[in-house]
Each structure stands twice: as structure tokens, then as C-alpha cells.
Amino acid sequence: MDRSLYVAMSGASRALQAQAQISHNLAHASTVGFKGILANAQAAPVVGAGLPSRVNTQTVEAGFDARPGALMSTGRDLDIALSGDNWLAVQTADGARAFTRAGDLQLTPLGQLTTAGGQPVLGEGGPIAVPPHSKLSIGADGTVSVVPMGQGPETQVNVGRLQIVEAPPERLVRRMDGLFAPGAGFEPVPVPGQVLVSGALESSNVSLAETLVAMIENQRQFEMQIKAMHSAEETAEQAAALLRLGG
């Protein structure tokens, strides 16, 4: 009886962990540039007193879904959608370099170019600062250009170029803040040429239909494990009653 309870408990625990991962993806179904988290069930031997045959299961992150999201045209000057395996370099709170596919850029009151999450966007020489201007544009090669305040369109000035790197998804790891960092032994470098589409955004690659189906399936698995635990409990009570009668 103990073994059946243990197996059911282990399965129910794994289902709860998987449901948390599914819920996280579902919550970010409308987040620009979000890449769905992938998870696998992994055996975890139980260490301690008793037989070494007891093995638990746990849900572990298995990377991320690298499929591109749908391209959404916005017409906004600060919106960009990265092409291929290109990633935008940003500066984290601790001064490190990380990467993102979220292209809904913002300008602070001081003219600093940041992501929607507040991370400074890196250029070829560091964080990009934009002077007062009447018009701003971002070229397909990542060049940020402005028409200075009070000047005509013929005075367009380049203020920097976004630091866009090419990185295969398998060489990147997800950080806790949702950004991506290079894996061990890999250091991506900026790439030239046409690297983005201006006036557009890449949507989240989370499929609502697939995620909802996965959530329902996982809920059913959890309920099945709970029923197995109740059945084991009832069987144990009946066995105990028979033993009392025999005594």
C-alpha cells in the first residue's frame, strides 16, 4: 500500500509542477517576443534511509521553444522585429550583457533607449542615448537615425546602431528575469546587414489552443493520481479492518 501511495503522490507532485510551467506560458501568451518554456519529467532518486529503489519524479526546464512568433505590423517608429536567429543585446541591472527578442523599445525622459522592461539597449559602443528630435527611425540594419529638434528632414543624423547578434537557440540559456544569456564557451558577436524589420513586433510563440489542451490533459492526470491515492487509502482501511476481525 505504501508503494502505491508513493507512486501516486510522486505523479501528482509532478503534475503540479508541470501545471505551473503551463500556467507561466499561458500568462505570457500576449508578451512581445516571449519564447515558451519547455519542461520534461525527470527521475529523481530519493536519498535517505530505506531501500534505494524509491525514485521520485520532478518537472525540470528543458530549454525554450525557439519557434518564431507571428509578425505584427504596428507602424511605430520604436518597434522592431528581429529576423532569423538574431537577438537584441541589452544591459542587465548588474551590468552584464543579455539578449531578448522583445522589440517594443521605449525612450526615457532623458533620451535613453530601453526595452519595455527598462533594460538599456546596447549599441556598438554601449547604451544608446537619443538627443531631442522631431523624428526617429530605425533602419533594417539597426541604425538609429533622428532629425534634430528644429531642423529639417535633410539634416538626418545617425546616433548609433543597435547591437544585434546572431545566436543559435541551443547556445543560449534563459535567465530568471526572462532574458537570455550565452551558454558556456559561447560569446556571440554583432552581425552586419539587414537584421530586423522596423515598425513591427514579434508576438509570443505560445499557442493558446495547444497550451489550454495541455493544461486540461495535465489536470486530468492530476485527478487520476488523486483517485489512485484515495483507492490505496480505502484498500488500506479495509485490510486493517480485516486484521482487527482476525484478531
Side-chain angles (χ1 to χ4, degrees), residues 190-207:
V191 292
Q194 297 188 354
V195 293
L196 58 85
V197 177
S198 184
L201 290 173
E202 178 187 357
S203 67
S204 168
N205 69 352
V206 174
S207 168

Side-chain angles (χ1 to χ4, degrees), residues 52-158:
S53 60
R54 298 296 176 91
V55 178
N56 201 348
T57 60
Q58 61 183 5
T59 299
V60 295
E61 187 171 333
F64 59 94
D65 185 355
R67 293 178 299 175
L71 196 66
M72 305 181 296
S73 179
T74 65
R76 181 172 174 268
D77 293 336
L78 286 174
D79 285 346
I80 60 171
L82 301 167
S83 58
D85 287 336
N86 295 325
W87 298 78
L88 175 66
V90 299
Q91 189 176 60
T92 62
D94 58 2
R97 186 175 67 151
F99 308 104
T100 181
R101 294 278 293 191
D104 48 343
L105 307 183
Q106 311 289 331
L107 272 178
T108 69
L110 297 178
Q112 187 175 44
L113 192 62
T114 69
T115 64
Q119 295 89 9
V121 174
L122 293 176
E124 294 177 332
I128 294 180
V130 180
H133 57 278
S134 58
K135 181 167 179 59
L136 180 148
S137 61
I138 300 177
D141 65 345
T143 300
V144 181
S145 305
V146 298
V147 174
M149 191 71 70
Q151 302 294 322
E154 71 280 358
T155 60
Q156 182 169 290
V157 177
N158 294 340

